């Protein structure tokens, strides 16, 4: 898969942006929503390709944590449905190698 098929979108949350602003830590965490069948190696390679293609620099991905979340049940009157599930990836990069996600 191409990198834009693996990395669906960055997750912009309060906790995620606070982690990006932390200058004390050695690693910076970038949260992304990723393809359901993507493995940690696929995600790591996709981040490297994205950084090379968009920013013309090498990025050393130190660690990738993934989490599958299931959809939540939602009701609207007598009708019930389920929101879609997603897979999240937390990508750790050394603090001196930053990438722009916005």
């Amino acid at each position: 898969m191409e990198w834009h098929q693996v990395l669906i979108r960055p997750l912009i949350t309060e906790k995620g942006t606070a982690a990006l602003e932390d200058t004390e830590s050695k690693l910076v965490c970038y949260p992304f929503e990723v393809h359901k069948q993507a493995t940690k190696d696929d995600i790591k390679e996709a981040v490297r390709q994205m950084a090379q293609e968009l920013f013309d620099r090498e990025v050393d991905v130190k660690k990738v944590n993934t989490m599958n979340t299931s959809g939540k049940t939602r009701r609207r009157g007598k009708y019930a449905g389920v929101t879609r599930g997603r897979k999240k990836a937390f990508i750790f990069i050394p603090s001196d190698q930053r990438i722009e996600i916005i």
Side-chain angles (χ1 to χ4, degrees):
M1 284 192 279
E2 296 289 324
W3 67 266
H4 51 82
Q5 294 171 327
V6 175
L7 301 174
I8 296 172
R9 67 186 179 101
L11 295 175
I12 309 296
T13 60
E14 281 187 49
K15 189 174 181 180
T17 53
L20 289 175
E21 295 170 356
D22 184 20
T23 58
E24 299 283 324
S25 66
K26 296 178 184 176
L27 298 176
V28 178
C29 178
Y30 291 92
F32 279 92
E33 181 180 344
V34 296
H35 193 271
K36 281 286 228 186
Q37 280 82 34
T39 63
K40 290 183 179 185
D41 291 331
D42 293 340
I43 296 166
K44 187 182 284 192
E45 188 58 36
V47 170
R48 285 188 187 134
Q49 288 177 1
M50 178 193 68
Q52 185 65 38
E53 191 173 312
L54 296 180
F55 308 116
D56 293 328
R57 64 178 91 140
E58 292 290 323
V59 172
D60 183 28
V61 179
K62 293 293 184 185
K63 183 169 65 166
V64 176
N65 292 349
T66 59
M67 174 181 10
N68 283 311
T69 58
S70 58
K72 297 180 180 179
T73 303
R74 295 289 184 224
R75 293 183 48 85
R76 184 111 181 148
K78 67 178 182 177
Y79 302 105
V82 178
T83 61
R84 67 182 179 88
R86 65 182 80 198
K87 185 173 187 176
K88 299 177 187 179
F90 300 97
I91 299 152
F92 292 90
I93 297 173
S95 60
D96 60 339
Q97 300 178 358
R98 297 218 174 229
I99 58 174
E100 298 294 323
I101 59 171
I102 296 177

